[in-house]
Amino acid sequence: GPEVTTTRAMIVTILYRLEGEPAVSAASVFTDVAAGQYYTNAVAWASSKNIVGGYGDGKFGPEDTITREQMAAILYRYAQYKGYDVSATNSLNGFADVGQLSSYAEAAMQWANGEGLITGVTGTTLAPTGSATRAQVATILMRFCENVAK
């Protein structure tokens, strides 16, 4: 299902598995992450490493569709956690919808665009609040592995 959307839990689980599924000593800090789910340990790990912070209301939204700006923010923080160079940046002013970009994701999206991880969905639109399909996520993660995690 390449055109199926990707959830927040799926992204965190992918990164957790890239890390070799390290042991998690603490339970999830999020009220909507139940014990025993496929993503429970992944979310707890990502939270403990400051890769995810949730929505600020005690919730993570594991089954919520991930947006492109959320994907950028999570990858940016993961790259920081890994000690990768996150100095690349690119002006997003050429995108007509740059005003839709949330402030928390601005530096992350500039970095992701500067690294060539997340490009526009067209030549003039970035769609920061749009969903990320499985095909887009696969492409972004491939670019991450090739360009950032060298």
Side-chain angles (χ1 to χ4, degrees), residues 37-125:
Q37 301 299 310
Y38 78 89
Y39 53 78
T40 303
N41 286 344
V43 173
W45 166 81
S47 175
S48 74
K49 303 301 180 191
N50 296 315
I51 296 168
V52 297
Y55 292 129
D57 61 356
K59 296 186 177 177
F60 176 70
E63 298 301 329
D64 292 355
T65 299
I66 195 161
T67 65
R68 293 165 53 83
E69 68 183 7
Q70 289 171 353
M71 178 82 178
I74 289 170
L75 282 179
Y76 182 67
R77 291 188 293 249
Y78 177 69
Q80 290 175 318
Y81 160 74
K82 295 293 287 178
Y84 298 147
D85 181 6
V86 292
S87 63
T89 188
N90 198 26
S91 170
L92 303 174
N93 291 335
F95 296 103
D97 58 353
V98 70
Q100 296 174 10
L101 182 62
S102 300
S103 59
Y104 80 87
E106 188 174 334
M109 189 64 88
Q110 289 170 333
W111 166 79
N113 187 258
E115 284 288 358
L117 305 179
I118 298 178
T119 58
V121 294
T122 70
T124 59
T125 56

